[in-house]
Short mmCIF file of all heavy atoms in Angstrom, two decimals:
data_model
loop_
_atom_site.label_atom_id
_atom_site.label_comp_id
_atom_site.label_asym_id
_atom_site.label_seq_id
_atom_site.Cartn_x
_atom_site.Cartn_y
_atom_site.Cartn_z
N SER A 56 13.40 5.68 -1.60
CA SER A 56 12.23 6.53 -1.97
C SER A 56 11.07 5.65 -2.48
O SER A 56 9.93 5.95 -2.20
CB SER A 56 12.61 7.55 -3.05
OG SER A 56 13.55 8.45 -2.52
N ALA A 57 11.40 4.61 -3.22
CA ALA A 57 10.38 3.70 -3.73
C ALA A 57 9.68 2.99 -2.57
O ALA A 57 8.44 2.83 -2.55
CB ALA A 57 10.96 2.69 -4.70
N PHE A 58 10.44 2.54 -1.58
CA PHE A 58 9.84 1.90 -0.40
C PHE A 58 8.94 2.90 0.37
O PHE A 58 7.85 2.56 0.81
CB PHE A 58 10.91 1.37 0.55
CG PHE A 58 11.44 0.03 0.14
CD1 PHE A 58 12.75 -0.12 -0.23
CD2 PHE A 58 10.61 -1.08 0.10
CE1 PHE A 58 13.24 -1.34 -0.59
CE2 PHE A 58 11.08 -2.34 -0.24
CZ PHE A 58 12.41 -2.45 -0.61
N ALA A 59 9.41 4.13 0.53
CA ALA A 59 8.60 5.12 1.23
C ALA A 59 7.34 5.43 0.47
O ALA A 59 6.25 5.57 1.08
CB ALA A 59 9.45 6.41 1.42
N LEU A 60 7.41 5.56 -0.84
CA LEU A 60 6.23 5.79 -1.66
C LEU A 60 5.25 4.65 -1.55
O LEU A 60 4.03 4.85 -1.39
CB LEU A 60 6.63 6.04 -3.11
CG LEU A 60 5.45 6.26 -4.08
CD1 LEU A 60 4.67 7.49 -3.69
CD2 LEU A 60 5.96 6.36 -5.50
N ALA A 61 5.73 3.42 -1.62
CA ALA A 61 4.88 2.24 -1.51
C ALA A 61 4.15 2.24 -0.14
O ALA A 61 2.96 1.93 -0.05
CB ALA A 61 5.66 0.98 -1.69
N LYS A 62 4.85 2.59 0.89
CA LYS A 62 4.26 2.66 2.24
C LYS A 62 3.21 3.75 2.31
O LYS A 62 2.13 3.53 2.89
CB LYS A 62 5.33 2.91 3.31
CG LYS A 62 4.77 2.91 4.70
CD LYS A 62 5.86 3.23 5.71
CE LYS A 62 5.31 3.28 7.10
NZ LYS A 62 4.15 4.07 7.34
N CYS A 63 3.45 4.91 1.72
CA CYS A 63 2.48 5.98 1.70
C CYS A 63 1.21 5.59 0.94
O CYS A 63 0.10 5.86 1.39
CB CYS A 63 3.06 7.24 1.11
SG CYS A 63 4.26 8.04 2.14
N VAL A 64 1.37 4.93 -0.18
CA VAL A 64 0.21 4.49 -0.97
C VAL A 64 -0.60 3.48 -0.16
O VAL A 64 -1.80 3.54 -0.09
CB VAL A 64 0.66 3.89 -2.34
CG1 VAL A 64 -0.45 3.18 -3.02
CG2 VAL A 64 1.23 4.99 -3.21
N ARG A 65 0.10 2.51 0.50
CA ARG A 65 -0.60 1.52 1.29
C ARG A 65 -1.32 2.16 2.46
O ARG A 65 -2.49 1.82 2.73
CB ARG A 65 0.42 0.50 1.83
CG ARG A 65 -0.23 -0.62 2.61
CD ARG A 65 0.69 -1.32 3.57
NE ARG A 65 1.16 -0.36 4.56
CZ ARG A 65 2.29 -0.49 5.24
NH1 ARG A 65 3.08 -1.52 5.03
NH2 ARG A 65 2.66 0.38 6.14
N ASP A 66 -0.68 3.11 3.14
CA ASP A 66 -1.33 3.79 4.25
C ASP A 66 -2.55 4.58 3.79
O ASP A 66 -3.59 4.59 4.49
CB ASP A 66 -0.33 4.71 4.97
CG ASP A 66 0.74 3.98 5.71
OD1 ASP A 66 0.62 2.76 5.87
OD2 ASP A 66 1.72 4.62 6.11
N ARG A 67 -2.49 5.23 2.66
CA ARG A 67 -3.64 5.97 2.15
C ARG A 67 -4.78 5.03 1.82
O ARG A 67 -5.94 5.31 2.11
CB ARG A 67 -3.24 6.78 0.90
CG ARG A 67 -4.42 7.32 0.19
CD ARG A 67 -4.54 8.70 -0.15
NE ARG A 67 -3.73 9.63 0.51
CZ ARG A 67 -3.56 10.84 0.04
NH1 ARG A 67 -4.12 11.17 -1.08
NH2 ARG A 67 -2.86 11.72 0.68
N GLN A 68 -4.48 3.89 1.21
CA GLN A 68 -5.52 2.93 0.90
C GLN A 68 -6.17 2.39 2.16
O GLN A 68 -7.38 2.23 2.26
CB GLN A 68 -4.98 1.77 0.08
CG GLN A 68 -4.68 2.13 -1.35
CD GLN A 68 -4.06 1.02 -2.13
OE1 GLN A 68 -3.50 0.07 -1.59
NE2 GLN A 68 -4.13 1.11 -3.44
N GLU A 69 -5.34 2.12 3.19
CA GLU A 69 -5.91 1.63 4.46
C GLU A 69 -6.76 2.71 5.09
O GLU A 69 -7.82 2.39 5.67
CB GLU A 69 -4.79 1.21 5.41
CG GLU A 69 -4.14 -0.08 5.04
CD GLU A 69 -3.01 -0.44 5.99
OE1 GLU A 69 -2.68 0.32 6.91
OE2 GLU A 69 -2.45 -1.55 5.78
N LEU A 70 -6.37 3.94 5.04
CA LEU A 70 -7.14 5.06 5.60
C LEU A 70 -8.47 5.19 4.86
O LEU A 70 -9.51 5.36 5.49
CB LEU A 70 -6.36 6.37 5.53
CG LEU A 70 -7.03 7.59 6.13
CD1 LEU A 70 -7.25 7.39 7.64
CD2 LEU A 70 -6.19 8.81 5.86
N ASP A 71 -8.43 5.11 3.53
CA ASP A 71 -9.67 5.19 2.77
C ASP A 71 -10.61 4.03 3.09
O ASP A 71 -11.84 4.24 3.23
CB ASP A 71 -9.37 5.20 1.27
CG ASP A 71 -8.73 6.50 0.82
OD1 ASP A 71 -8.82 7.49 1.59
OD2 ASP A 71 -8.20 6.52 -0.31
N SER A 72 -10.07 2.83 3.21
CA SER A 72 -10.94 1.70 3.51
C SER A 72 -11.49 1.79 4.93
O SER A 72 -12.61 1.40 5.21
CB SER A 72 -10.20 0.38 3.30
OG SER A 72 -9.18 0.19 4.26
N MET A 73 -10.69 2.36 5.84
CA MET A 73 -11.17 2.52 7.24
C MET A 73 -12.29 3.53 7.30
O MET A 73 -13.31 3.29 7.94
CB MET A 73 -10.02 2.99 8.14
CG MET A 73 -10.42 3.25 9.56
SD MET A 73 -10.94 1.75 10.44
CE MET A 73 -9.40 0.96 10.65
N SER A 74 -12.15 4.64 6.59
CA SER A 74 -13.22 5.65 6.60
C SER A 74 -14.48 5.09 5.91
O SER A 74 -15.58 5.42 6.32
CB SER A 74 -12.77 6.95 5.96
OG SER A 74 -12.46 6.76 4.62
#
Side-chain angles (χ1 to χ4, degrees):
S56 296
F58 278 116
L60 177 62
K62 183 183 178 310
C63 288
V64 168
R65 184 202 62 203
D66 291 348
R67 167 127 343 163
Q68 287 177 341
E69 286 179 358
L70 182 64
D71 288 345
S72 69
M73 178 65 73
S74 63

